[in-house]
């Protein structure tokens, strides 16, 4: 079993600052953000990586190996304080080498002859000109889970050519809750940068799907804009019903200076007090203005 390391405050060690690419300072300076923590993990031993490769008959890409030789997994979180309530918001995670497990291909239920993920395979939606071939749940692909995304899907390291898995045949894909695949990056390094620059905002991976992020998540994106090239996230037509929140106003202190109210208003000279008198318009009756019927 893995030993649980105590959470550390950001910036407590220089190598943690390098691991997070300095994103902790940006978060700590953002309005409302509190409790930015990183759970420090010891580097993985080389024999642990070799054992994983032999067990799974797959060669890890060099950037994945280098990551685990620096830290055996990664977990960084940050919260937001609204009034007197603290809300967990950002979460960045990479599974440790021992939890880099193959996506479960056993029966989805404990009943006999229950369907498996391979039974859900659909070959009708293959690769297009701008989209690489999607992973397969059967033996054509080997899939390992990098991050469970807090139940919002799975980020996976995919070997496209099955076993034996070659390091150059890997890609990073996102599997949503409806079991549809969405391409993220060609390399683990590129995915790690996406993870950091999106600040671990909830469901950020859905920004790379055809249906995008939900209106609720878009509220958080508007408040804590990701440091990413994908700026069209916040300029879609759905913005018409998304509130534009100003963090400086949301988290503003409630201790405002009291402004004395005026007891009365000064009326201009000649103004009448009380209700107005009868109208003297052309419609009023009289000898000179007979009423026309």
């Amino acid at each position: 079993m893995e030993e649980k390391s105590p959470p550390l405050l950001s910036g407590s060690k220089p190598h943690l600052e390098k691991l997070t690419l300095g994103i902790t300072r940006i978060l700590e300076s953002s309005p409302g953000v509190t409790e930015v923590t990183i759970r420090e993990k010891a580097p993985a031993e080389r024999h642990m990586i070799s054992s994983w490769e032999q067990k799974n008959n797959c060669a890890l890409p060099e950037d994945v190996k280098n990551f685990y030789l620096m830290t055996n997994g990664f977990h960084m979180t940050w919260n937001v304080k609204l009034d007197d309530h603290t809300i967990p918001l950002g979460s960045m995670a990479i599974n440790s080498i021992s939890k880099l497990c193959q996506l479960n291909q056993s029966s989805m239920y404990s009943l006999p002859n229950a369907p498996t993920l391979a039974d859900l395979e659909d070959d009708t939606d293959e690769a297009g000109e701008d989209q690489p071939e999607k992973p397969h749940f059967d033996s054509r692909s080997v899939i390992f889970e990098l991050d469970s995304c807090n139940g919002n899907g799975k980020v996976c390291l995919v070997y496209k050519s099955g076993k034996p898995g070659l390091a150059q045949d890997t890609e990073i894909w996102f599997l949503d809750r409806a079991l549809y695949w969405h391409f993220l990056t060609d390399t683990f390094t590129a995915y790690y940068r996406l993870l950091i620059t999106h600040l671990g905002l909830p469901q950020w991976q859905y920004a790379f799907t055809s249906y995008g992020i939900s209106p609720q998540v878009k509220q958080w994106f508007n408040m804590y804009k990701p440091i990413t090239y994908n700026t069209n996230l916040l300029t879609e037509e759905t913005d018409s019903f998304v509130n534009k929140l100003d963090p400086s106003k949301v988290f503003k202190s409630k201790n405002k200076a009291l402004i004395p109210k005026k007891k009365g208003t000064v009326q201009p000279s000649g103004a009448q007090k009380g209700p107005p008198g009868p109208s003297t318009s052309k419609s009023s009756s009289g000898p000179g203005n007979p009423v026309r019927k």
Side-chain angles (χ1 to χ4, degrees), residues 103 105 108 115-127 133-143 158 160 173 175 178-181:
L103 197 66
Q105 295 183 359
M108 298 171 63
T116 64
L117 288 175
D119 296 325
L120 302 176
E121 193 65 43
D122 184 11
D123 291 332
T124 58
D125 189 12
E126 290 295 337
E133 181 183 356
K134 295 183 178 180
H136 300 280
F137 291 117
D138 54 25
S139 59
R140 286 175 288 178
S141 301
V142 186
I143 306 166
V158 178
K160 302 295 291 292
W173 286 74
L175 179 66
L179 301 182
Y180 285 101
W181 288 105

PDB file of all heavy atoms in Angstrom, residues 103 105 108 115-127 133-143 158 160 173 175 178-181:
ATOM      1  N   LEU A 103      -7.900   0.004 -18.138  1.00  0.00           N
ATOM      2  CA  LEU A 103      -9.337   0.262 -18.039  1.00  0.00           C
ATOM      3  C   LEU A 103     -10.071  -1.068 -17.947  1.00  0.00           C
ATOM      4  O   LEU A 103      -9.846  -1.980 -18.746  1.00  0.00           O
ATOM      5  CB  LEU A 103      -9.814   1.056 -19.253  1.00  0.00           C
ATOM      6  CG  LEU A 103     -11.173   1.738 -19.133  1.00  0.00           C
ATOM      7  CD1 LEU A 103     -11.127   2.825 -18.076  1.00  0.00           C
ATOM      8  CD2 LEU A 103     -11.586   2.354 -20.465  1.00  0.00           C
ATOM      9  N   GLN A 105     -12.107  -4.132 -18.320  1.00  0.00           N
ATOM     10  CA  GLN A 105     -12.832  -4.736 -19.421  1.00  0.00           C
ATOM     11  C   GLN A 105     -13.684  -5.917 -18.969  1.00  0.00           C
ATOM     12  O   GLN A 105     -14.183  -6.683 -19.780  1.00  0.00           O
ATOM     13  CB  GLN A 105     -11.872  -5.199 -20.515  1.00  0.00           C
ATOM     14  CG  GLN A 105     -11.136  -4.049 -21.174  1.00  0.00           C
ATOM     15  CD  GLN A 105     -10.237  -4.516 -22.304  1.00  0.00           C
ATOM     16  OE1 GLN A 105     -10.154  -5.703 -22.580  1.00  0.00           O
ATOM     17  NE2 GLN A 105      -9.575  -3.582 -22.952  1.00  0.00           N
ATOM     18  N   MET A 108     -19.737  -5.385 -16.813  1.00  0.00           N
ATOM     19  CA  MET A 108     -20.197  -4.159 -16.176  1.00  0.00           C
ATOM     20  C   MET A 108     -21.072  -4.469 -14.976  1.00  0.00           C
ATOM     21  O   MET A 108     -21.222  -3.660 -14.080  1.00  0.00           O
ATOM     22  CB  MET A 108     -20.960  -3.306 -17.178  1.00  0.00           C
ATOM     23  CG  MET A 108     -20.107  -2.861 -18.361  1.00  0.00           C
ATOM     24  SD  MET A 108     -21.071  -2.078 -19.661  1.00  0.00           S
ATOM     25  CE  MET A 108     -21.701  -0.646 -18.783  1.00  0.00           C
ATOM     26  N   PRO A 115     -22.931  -7.542 -20.336  1.00  0.00           N
ATOM     27  CA  PRO A 115     -22.093  -6.921 -21.377  1.00  0.00           C
ATOM     28  C   PRO A 115     -20.808  -6.359 -20.802  1.00  0.00           C
ATOM     29  O   PRO A 115     -20.728  -5.990 -19.630  1.00  0.00           O
ATOM     30  CB  PRO A 115     -22.993  -5.811 -21.919  1.00  0.00           C
ATOM     31  CG  PRO A 115     -23.928  -5.490 -20.797  1.00  0.00           C
ATOM     32  CD  PRO A 115     -24.170  -6.778 -20.084  1.00  0.00           C
ATOM     33  N   THR A 116     -19.790  -6.292 -21.628  1.00  0.00           N
ATOM     34  CA  THR A 116     -18.523  -5.683 -21.271  1.00  0.00           C
ATOM     35  C   THR A 116     -18.335  -4.418 -22.099  1.00  0.00           C
ATOM     36  O   THR A 116     -19.130  -4.117 -22.998  1.00  0.00           O
ATOM     37  CB  THR A 116     -17.354  -6.644 -21.541  1.00  0.00           C
ATOM     38  OG1 THR A 116     -17.293  -6.898 -22.948  1.00  0.00           O
ATOM     39  CG2 THR A 116     -17.547  -7.962 -20.796  1.00  0.00           C
ATOM     40  N   LEU A 117     -17.267  -3.666 -21.793  1.00  0.00           N
ATOM     41  CA  LEU A 117     -16.986  -2.472 -22.579  1.00  0.00           C
ATOM     42  C   LEU A 117     -16.734  -2.837 -24.038  1.00  0.00           C
ATOM     43  O   LEU A 117     -17.090  -2.081 -24.946  1.00  0.00           O
ATOM     44  CB  LEU A 117     -15.774  -1.746 -22.002  1.00  0.00           C
ATOM     45  CG  LEU A 117     -15.990  -1.016 -20.672  1.00  0.00           C
ATOM     46  CD1 LEU A 117     -14.671  -0.442 -20.167  1.00  0.00           C
ATOM     47  CD2 LEU A 117     -17.020   0.093 -20.823  1.00  0.00           C
ATOM     48  N   ALA A 118     -16.122  -3.995 -24.281  1.00  0.00           N
ATOM     49  CA  ALA A 118     -15.866  -4.413 -25.658  1.00  0.00           C
ATOM     50  C   ALA A 118     -17.160  -4.634 -26.425  1.00  0.00           C
ATOM     51  O   ALA A 118     -17.211  -4.459 -27.649  1.00  0.00           O
ATOM     52  CB  ALA A 118     -15.016  -5.676 -25.671  1.00  0.00           C
ATOM     53  N   ASP A 119     -18.231  -5.023 -25.729  1.00  0.00           N
ATOM     54  CA  ASP A 119     -19.519  -5.221 -26.398  1.00  0.00           C
ATOM     55  C   ASP A 119     -20.127  -3.908 -26.862  1.00  0.00           C
ATOM     56  O   ASP A 119     -21.040  -3.917 -27.703  1.00  0.00           O
ATOM     57  CB  ASP A 119     -20.502  -5.930 -25.463  1.00  0.00           C
ATOM     58  CG  ASP A 119     -20.044  -7.340 -25.106  1.00  0.00           C
ATOM     59  OD1 ASP A 119     -19.441  -7.983 -25.986  1.00  0.00           O
ATOM     60  OD2 ASP A 119     -20.260  -7.767 -23.954  1.00  0.00           O
ATOM     61  N   LEU A 120     -19.658  -2.803 -26.314  1.00  0.00           N
ATOM     62  CA  LEU A 120     -20.172  -1.499 -26.711  1.00  0.00           C
ATOM     63  C   LEU A 120     -19.416  -0.911 -27.890  1.00  0.00           C
ATOM     64  O   LEU A 120     -19.694   0.215 -28.300  1.00  0.00           O
ATOM     65  CB  LEU A 120     -20.096  -0.528 -25.527  1.00  0.00           C
ATOM     66  CG  LEU A 120     -20.842  -0.954 -24.253  1.00  0.00           C
ATOM     67  CD1 LEU A 120     -20.587   0.066 -23.159  1.00  0.00           C
ATOM     68  CD2 LEU A 120     -22.323  -1.089 -24.521  1.00  0.00           C
ATOM     69  N   GLU A 121     -18.475  -1.676 -28.420  1.00  0.00           N
ATOM     70  CA  GLU A 121     -17.651  -1.179 -29.515  1.00  0.00           C
ATOM     71  C   GLU A 121     -18.499  -0.849 -30.732  1.00  0.00           C
ATOM     72  O   GLU A 121     -19.378  -1.616 -31.131  1.00  0.00           O
ATOM     73  CB  GLU A 121     -16.595  -2.228 -29.897  1.00  0.00           C
ATOM     74  CG  GLU A 121     -15.499  -1.700 -30.796  1.00  0.00           C
ATOM     75  CD  GLU A 121     -14.673  -0.645 -30.095  1.00  0.00           C
ATOM     76  OE1 GLU A 121     -14.333  -0.823 -28.917  1.00  0.00           O
ATOM     77  OE2 GLU A 121     -14.399   0.380 -30.739  1.00  0.00           O
ATOM     78  N   ASP A 122     -18.246   0.325 -31.304  1.00  0.00           N
ATOM     79  CA  ASP A 122     -18.992   0.799 -32.471  1.00  0.00           C
ATOM     80  C   ASP A 122     -17.990   1.245 -33.520  1.00  0.00           C
ATOM     81  O   ASP A 122     -17.273   2.224 -33.331  1.00  0.00           O
ATOM     82  CB  ASP A 122     -19.924   1.954 -32.091  1.00  0.00           C
ATOM     83  CG  ASP A 122     -20.784   2.417 -33.262  1.00  0.00           C
ATOM     84  OD1 ASP A 122     -20.807   1.721 -34.293  1.00  0.00           O
ATOM     85  OD2 ASP A 122     -21.423   3.473 -33.131  1.00  0.00           O
ATOM     86  N   ASP A 123     -17.935   0.517 -34.639  1.00  0.00           N
ATOM     87  CA  ASP A 123     -16.982   0.822 -35.698  1.00  0.00           C
ATOM     88  C   ASP A 123     -17.544   1.773 -36.740  1.00  0.00           C
ATOM     89  O   ASP A 123     -16.879   2.061 -37.742  1.00  0.00           O
ATOM     90  CB  ASP A 123     -16.533  -0.464 -36.399  1.00  0.00           C
ATOM     91  CG  ASP A 123     -15.674  -1.329 -35.494  1.00  0.00           C
ATOM     92  OD1 ASP A 123     -15.014  -0.753 -34.610  1.00  0.00           O
ATOM     93  OD2 ASP A 123     -15.687  -2.562 -35.653  1.00  0.00           O
ATOM     94  N   THR A 124     -18.764   2.247 -36.544  1.00  0.00           N
ATOM     95  CA  THR A 124     -19.360   3.128 -37.547  1.00  0.00           C
ATOM     96  C   THR A 124     -18.750   4.519 -37.520  1.00  0.00           C
ATOM     97  O   THR A 124     -18.731   5.214 -38.517  1.00  0.00           O
ATOM     98  CB  THR A 124     -20.878   3.248 -37.315  1.00  0.00           C
ATOM     99  OG1 THR A 124     -21.108   3.753 -35.995  1.00  0.00           O
ATOM    100  CG2 THR A 124     -21.532   1.876 -37.453  1.00  0.00           C
ATOM    101  N   ASP A 125     -18.239   4.942 -36.370  1.00  0.00           N
ATOM    102  CA  ASP A 125     -17.672   6.279 -36.228  1.00  0.00           C
ATOM    103  C   ASP A 125     -16.151   6.180 -36.194  1.00  0.00           C
ATOM    104  O   ASP A 125     -15.532   6.166 -35.142  1.00  0.00           O
ATOM    105  CB  ASP A 125     -18.203   6.945 -34.956  1.00  0.00           C
ATOM    106  CG  ASP A 125     -17.811   8.419 -34.888  1.00  0.00           C
ATOM    107  OD1 ASP A 125     -17.344   8.962 -35.899  1.00  0.00           O
ATOM    108  OD2 ASP A 125     -17.985   8.994 -33.814  1.00  0.00           O
ATOM    109  N   GLU A 126     -15.539   6.078 -37.353  1.00  0.00           N
ATOM    110  CA  GLU A 126     -14.099   5.949 -37.433  1.00  0.00           C
ATOM    111  C   GLU A 126     -13.442   7.307 -37.638  1.00  0.00           C
ATOM    112  O   GLU A 126     -14.098   8.336 -37.674  1.00  0.00           O
ATOM    113  CB  GLU A 126     -13.727   4.990 -38.582  1.00  0.00           C
ATOM    114  CG  GLU A 126     -14.090   3.536 -38.279  1.00  0.00           C
ATOM    115  CD  GLU A 126     -13.311   2.962 -37.115  1.00  0.00           C
ATOM    116  OE1 GLU A 126     -12.224   3.477 -36.809  1.00  0.00           O
ATOM    117  OE2 GLU A 126     -13.803   2.007 -36.493  1.00  0.00           O
ATOM    118  N   ALA A 127     -12.143   7.278 -37.820  1.00  0.00           N
ATOM    119  CA  ALA A 127     -11.385   8.522 -37.904  1.00  0.00           C
ATOM    120  C   ALA A 127     -11.737   9.298 -39.164  1.00  0.00           C
ATOM    121  O   ALA A 127     -12.042   8.727 -40.208  1.00  0.00           O
ATOM    122  CB  ALA A 127      -9.890   8.212 -37.888  1.00  0.00           C
ATOM    123  N   GLU A 133      -7.894   8.154 -35.359  1.00  0.00           N
ATOM    124  CA  GLU A 133      -8.746   6.997 -35.083  1.00  0.00           C
ATOM    125  C   GLU A 133      -8.976   6.866 -33.580  1.00  0.00           C
ATOM    126  O   GLU A 133      -8.047   6.964 -32.782  1.00  0.00           O
ATOM    127  CB  GLU A 133      -8.105   5.720 -35.625  1.00  0.00           C
ATOM    128  CG  GLU A 133      -8.946   4.477 -35.400  1.00  0.00           C
ATOM    129  CD  GLU A 133      -8.259   3.224 -35.887  1.00  0.00           C
ATOM    130  OE1 GLU A 133      -7.165   3.347 -36.461  1.00  0.00           O
ATOM    131  OE2 GLU A 133      -8.816   2.128 -35.674  1.00  0.00           O
ATOM    132  N   LYS A 134     -10.207   6.631 -33.210  1.00  0.00           N
ATOM    133  CA  LYS A 134     -10.560   6.552 -31.797  1.00  0.00           C
ATOM    134  C   LYS A 134     -10.106   5.231 -31.186  1.00  0.00           C
ATOM    135  O   LYS A 134      -9.988   4.225 -31.880  1.00  0.00           O
ATOM    136  CB  LYS A 134     -12.075   6.720 -31.629  1.00  0.00           C
ATOM    137  CG  LYS A 134     -12.570   8.095 -32.047  1.00  0.00           C
ATOM    138  CD  LYS A 134     -14.058   8.250 -31.811  1.00  0.00           C
ATOM    139  CE  LYS A 134     -14.534   9.654 -32.202  1.00  0.00           C
ATOM    140  NZ  LYS A 134     -15.980   9.846 -31.976  1.00  0.00           N
ATOM    141  N   PRO A 135      -9.848   5.227 -29.882  1.00  0.00           N
ATOM    142  CA  PRO A 135      -9.463   3.980 -29.211  1.00  0.00           C
ATOM    143  C   PRO A 135     -10.595   2.962 -29.253  1.00  0.00           C
ATOM    144  O   PRO A 135     -11.764   3.290 -29.457  1.00  0.00           O
ATOM    145  CB  PRO A 135      -9.180   4.434 -27.772  1.00  0.00           C
ATOM    146  CG  PRO A 135      -8.946   5.908 -27.863  1.00  0.00           C
ATOM    147  CD  PRO A 135      -9.808   6.393 -28.983  1.00  0.00           C
ATOM    148  N   HIS A 136     -10.218   1.717 -29.045  1.00  0.00           N
ATOM    149  CA  HIS A 136     -11.181   0.619 -29.038  1.00  0.00           C
ATOM    150  C   HIS A 136     -11.163  -0.051 -27.673  1.00  0.00           C
ATOM    151  O   HIS A 136     -10.113  -0.179 -27.031  1.00  0.00           O
ATOM    152  CB  HIS A 136     -10.853  -0.400 -30.124  1.00  0.00           C
ATOM    153  CG  HIS A 136     -10.864   0.181 -31.513  1.00  0.00           C
ATOM    154  ND1 HIS A 136     -12.018   0.399 -32.219  1.00  0.00           N
ATOM    155  CD2 HIS A 136      -9.842   0.596 -32.312  1.00  0.00           C
ATOM    156  CE1 HIS A 136     -11.728   0.919 -33.408  1.00  0.00           C
ATOM    157  NE2 HIS A 136     -10.416   1.054 -33.482  1.00  0.00           N
ATOM    158  N   PHE A 137     -12.325  -0.481 -27.237  1.00  0.00           N
ATOM    159  CA  PHE A 137     -12.422  -1.159 -25.948  1.00  0.00           C
ATOM    160  C   PHE A 137     -11.951  -2.606 -26.027  1.00  0.00           C
ATOM    161  O   PHE A 137     -11.723  -3.242 -24.998  1.00  0.00           O
ATOM    162  CB  PHE A 137     -13.865  -1.126 -25.430  1.00  0.00           C
ATOM    163  CG  PHE A 137     -14.328   0.251 -25.018  1.00  0.00           C
ATOM    164  CD1 PHE A 137     -15.373   0.873 -25.677  1.00  0.00           C
ATOM    165  CD2 PHE A 137     -13.707   0.923 -23.986  1.00  0.00           C
ATOM    166  CE1 PHE A 137     -15.809   2.131 -25.296  1.00  0.00           C
ATOM    167  CE2 PHE A 137     -14.123   2.187 -23.597  1.00  0.00           C
ATOM    168  CZ  PHE A 137     -15.176   2.789 -24.264  1.00  0.00           C
ATOM    169  N   ASP A 138     -11.837  -3.144 -27.231  1.00  0.00           N
ATOM    170  CA  ASP A 138     -11.397  -4.530 -27.372  1.00  0.00           C
ATOM    171  C   ASP A 138      -9.875  -4.587 -27.437  1.00  0.00           C
ATOM    172  O   ASP A 138      -9.179  -3.623 -27.082  1.00  0.00           O
ATOM    173  CB  ASP A 138     -12.048  -5.178 -28.603  1.00  0.00           C
ATOM    174  CG  ASP A 138     -11.820  -4.380 -29.871  1.00  0.00           C
ATOM    175  OD1 ASP A 138     -10.810  -3.636 -29.923  1.00  0.00           O
ATOM    176  OD2 ASP A 138     -12.633  -4.485 -30.809  1.00  0.00           O
ATOM    177  N   SER A 139      -9.327  -5.702 -27.914  1.00  0.00           N
ATOM    178  CA  SER A 139      -7.886  -5.932 -27.882  1.00  0.00           C
ATOM    179  C   SER A 139      -7.105  -5.062 -28.862  1.00  0.00           C
ATOM    180  O   SER A 139      -5.872  -5.058 -28.832  1.00  0.00           O
ATOM    181  CB  SER A 139      -7.602  -7.408 -28.172  1.00  0.00           C
ATOM    182  OG  SER A 139      -8.118  -7.775 -29.444  1.00  0.00           O
ATOM    183  N   ARG A 140      -7.779  -4.300 -29.710  1.00  0.00           N
ATOM    184  CA  ARG A 140      -7.069  -3.452 -30.662  1.00  0.00           C
ATOM    185  C   ARG A 140      -6.359  -2.287 -29.965  1.00  0.00           C
ATOM    186  O   ARG A 140      -5.421  -1.707 -30.531  1.00  0.00           O
ATOM    187  CB  ARG A 140      -8.036  -2.915 -31.713  1.00  0.00           C
ATOM    188  CG  ARG A 140      -8.468  -3.952 -32.736  1.00  0.00           C
ATOM    189  CD  ARG A 140      -9.518  -3.394 -33.671  1.00  0.00           C
ATOM    190  NE  ARG A 140     -10.811  -3.225 -32.994  1.00  0.00           N
ATOM    191  CZ  ARG A 140     -11.891  -2.715 -33.597  1.00  0.00           C
ATOM    192  NH1 ARG A 140     -11.813  -2.307 -34.853  1.00  0.00           N
ATOM    193  NH2 ARG A 140     -13.029  -2.611 -32.928  1.00  0.00           N
ATOM    194  N   SER A 141      -6.798  -1.908 -28.786  1.00  0.00           N
ATOM    195  CA  SER A 141      -6.165  -0.829 -28.022  1.00  0.00           C
ATOM    196  C   SER A 141      -5.944  -1.303 -26.591  1.00  0.00           C
ATOM    197  O   SER A 141      -6.673  -2.157 -26.082  1.00  0.00           O
ATOM    198  CB  SER A 141      -7.034   0.428 -28.017  1.00  0.00           C
ATOM    199  OG  SER A 141      -7.285   0.888 -29.327  1.00  0.00           O
ATOM    200  N   VAL A 142      -4.935  -0.722 -25.961  1.00  0.00           N
ATOM    201  CA  VAL A 142      -4.694  -0.957 -24.540  1.00  0.00           C
ATOM    202  C   VAL A 142      -4.793   0.398 -23.852  1.00  0.00           C
ATOM    203  O   VAL A 142      -4.095   1.348 -24.224  1.00  0.00           O
ATOM    204  CB  VAL A 142      -3.325  -1.590 -24.287  1.00  0.00           C
ATOM    205  CG1 VAL A 142      -3.180  -1.965 -22.811  1.00  0.00           C
ATOM    206  CG2 VAL A 142      -3.125  -2.810 -25.160  1.00  0.00           C
ATOM    207  N   ILE A 143      -5.658   0.482 -22.836  1.00  0.00           N
ATOM    208  CA  ILE A 143      -6.029   1.766 -22.250  1.00  0.00           C
ATOM    209  C   ILE A 143      -5.730   1.756 -20.755  1.00  0.00           C
ATOM    210  O   ILE A 143      -6.129   0.831 -20.038  1.00  0.00           O
ATOM    211  CB  ILE A 143      -7.530   2.051 -22.483  1.00  0.00           C
ATOM    212  CG1 ILE A 143      -7.853   1.943 -23.977  1.00  0.00           C
ATOM    213  CG2 ILE A 143      -7.912   3.410 -21.946  1.00  0.00           C
ATOM    214  CD1 ILE A 143      -9.342   1.873 -24.265  1.00  0.00           C
ATOM    215  N   VAL A 158      -3.424   5.838 -23.970  1.00  0.00           N
ATOM    216  CA  VAL A 158      -3.929   4.841 -24.911  1.00  0.00           C
ATOM    217  C   VAL A 158      -2.797   4.348 -25.804  1.00  0.00           C
ATOM    218  O   VAL A 158      -2.091   5.153 -26.435  1.00  0.00           O
ATOM    219  CB  VAL A 158      -5.066   5.417 -25.775  1.00  0.00           C
ATOM    220  CG1 VAL A 158      -5.554   4.390 -26.791  1.00  0.00           C
ATOM    221  CG2 VAL A 158      -6.218   5.886 -24.903  1.00  0.00           C
ATOM    222  N   LYS A 160      -2.379   2.572 -29.140  1.00  0.00           N
ATOM    223  CA  LYS A 160      -3.283   2.394 -30.273  1.00  0.00           C
ATOM    224  C   LYS A 160      -3.123   1.039 -30.982  1.00  0.00           C
ATOM    225  O   LYS A 160      -4.017   0.616 -31.708  1.00  0.00           O
ATOM    226  CB  LYS A 160      -3.069   3.519 -31.293  1.00  0.00           C
ATOM    227  CG  LYS A 160      -3.276   4.916 -30.711  1.00  0.00           C
ATOM    228  CD  LYS A 160      -4.712   5.136 -30.274  1.00  0.00           C
ATOM    229  CE  LYS A 160      -5.668   5.207 -31.439  1.00  0.00           C
ATOM    230  NZ  LYS A 160      -5.460   6.407 -32.266  1.00  0.00           N
ATOM    231  N   TRP A 173      -6.271  10.507 -24.405  1.00  0.00           N
ATOM    232  CA  TRP A 173      -7.665  10.675 -24.787  1.00  0.00           C
ATOM    233  C   TRP A 173      -8.523  10.881 -23.545  1.00  0.00           C
ATOM    234  O   TRP A 173      -8.163  10.473 -22.438  1.00  0.00           O
ATOM    235  CB  TRP A 173      -8.169   9.446 -25.539  1.00  0.00           C
ATOM    236  CG  TRP A 173      -7.656   9.334 -26.952  1.00  0.00           C
ATOM    237  CD1 TRP A 173      -6.386   8.977 -27.331  1.00  0.00           C
ATOM    238  CD2 TRP A 173      -8.389   9.575 -28.147  1.00  0.00           C
ATOM    239  NE1 TRP A 173      -6.283   8.985 -28.688  1.00  0.00           N
ATOM    240  CE2 TRP A 173      -7.502   9.337 -29.223  1.00  0.00           C
ATOM    241  CE3 TRP A 173      -9.702   9.947 -28.429  1.00  0.00           C
ATOM    242  CZ2 TRP A 173      -7.889   9.480 -30.556  1.00  0.00           C
ATOM    243  CZ3 TRP A 173     -10.088  10.086 -29.758  1.00  0.00           C
ATOM    244  CH2 TRP A 173      -9.188   9.857 -30.802  1.00  0.00           C
ATOM    245  N   LEU A 175     -12.294  10.060 -22.044  1.00  0.00           N
ATOM    246  CA  LEU A 175     -13.497   9.239 -22.158  1.00  0.00           C
ATOM    247  C   LEU A 175     -14.580   9.862 -21.292  1.00  0.00           C
ATOM    248  O   LEU A 175     -14.445   9.917 -20.072  1.00  0.00           O
ATOM    249  CB  LEU A 175     -13.212   7.800 -21.698  1.00  0.00           C
ATOM    250  CG  LEU A 175     -14.376   6.814 -21.739  1.00  0.00           C
ATOM    251  CD1 LEU A 175     -14.829   6.552 -23.173  1.00  0.00           C
ATOM    252  CD2 LEU A 175     -13.988   5.498 -21.063  1.00  0.00           C
ATOM    253  N   ALA A 178     -20.579   9.276 -21.115  1.00  0.00           N
ATOM    254  CA  ALA A 178     -21.399   8.534 -22.071  1.00  0.00           C
ATOM    255  C   ALA A 178     -20.562   7.546 -22.881  1.00  0.00           C
ATOM    256  O   ALA A 178     -21.055   6.959 -23.845  1.00  0.00           O
ATOM    257  CB  ALA A 178     -22.115   9.506 -23.012  1.00  0.00           C
ATOM    258  N   LEU A 179     -19.285   7.365 -22.481  1.00  0.00           N
ATOM    259  CA  LEU A 179     -18.358   6.424 -23.114  1.00  0.00           C
ATOM    260  C   LEU A 179     -18.027   6.813 -24.547  1.00  0.00           C
ATOM    261  O   LEU A 179     -17.837   5.953 -25.412  1.00  0.00           O
ATOM    262  CB  LEU A 179     -18.906   4.986 -23.052  1.00  0.00           C
ATOM    263  CG  LEU A 179     -19.175   4.436 -21.637  1.00  0.00           C
ATOM    264  CD1 LEU A 179     -19.673   3.000 -21.710  1.00  0.00           C
ATOM    265  CD2 LEU A 179     -17.914   4.516 -20.782  1.00  0.00           C
ATOM    266  N   TYR A 180     -17.964   8.122 -24.812  1.00  0.00           N
ATOM    267  CA  TYR A 180     -17.479   8.622 -26.091  1.00  0.00           C
ATOM    268  C   TYR A 180     -16.045   9.117 -25.907  1.00  0.00           C
ATOM    269  O   TYR A 180     -15.708   9.706 -24.875  1.00  0.00           O
ATOM    270  CB  TYR A 180     -18.353   9.764 -26.623  1.00  0.00           C
ATOM    271  CG  TYR A 180     -19.678   9.299 -27.174  1.00  0.00           C
ATOM    272  CD1 TYR A 180     -20.843   9.428 -26.414  1.00  0.00           C
ATOM    273  CD2 TYR A 180     -19.771   8.745 -28.445  1.00  0.00           C
ATOM    274  CE1 TYR A 180     -22.071   9.001 -26.904  1.00  0.00           C
ATOM    275  CE2 TYR A 180     -20.996   8.319 -28.952  1.00  0.00           C
ATOM    276  CZ  TYR A 180     -22.141   8.450 -28.186  1.00  0.00           C
ATOM    277  OH  TYR A 180     -23.349   8.017 -28.678  1.00  0.00           O
ATOM    278  N   TRP A 181     -15.218   8.897 -26.943  1.00  0.00           N
ATOM    279  CA  TRP A 181     -13.814   9.276 -26.886  1.00  0.00           C
ATOM    280  C   TRP A 181     -13.592  10.654 -27.486  1.00  0.00           C
ATOM    281  O   TRP A 181     -14.213  11.010 -28.486  1.00  0.00           O
ATOM    282  CB  TRP A 181     -12.955   8.262 -27.633  1.00  0.00           C
ATOM    283  CG  TRP A 181     -12.818   6.935 -26.941  1.00  0.00           C
ATOM    284  CD1 TRP A 181     -13.437   5.766 -27.271  1.00  0.00           C
ATOM    285  CD2 TRP A 181     -11.992   6.653 -25.802  1.00  0.00           C
ATOM    286  NE1 TRP A 181     -13.056   4.768 -26.410  1.00  0.00           N
ATOM    287  CE2 TRP A 181     -12.167   5.288 -25.496  1.00  0.00           C
ATOM    288  CE3 TRP A 181     -11.130   7.413 -25.012  1.00  0.00           C
ATOM    289  CZ2 TRP A 181     -11.506   4.670 -24.443  1.00  0.00           C
ATOM    290  CZ3 TRP A 181     -10.479   6.797 -23.954  1.00  0.00           C
ATOM    291  CH2 TRP A 181     -10.669   5.447 -23.682  1.00  0.00           C
TER     292      TRP A 181
END
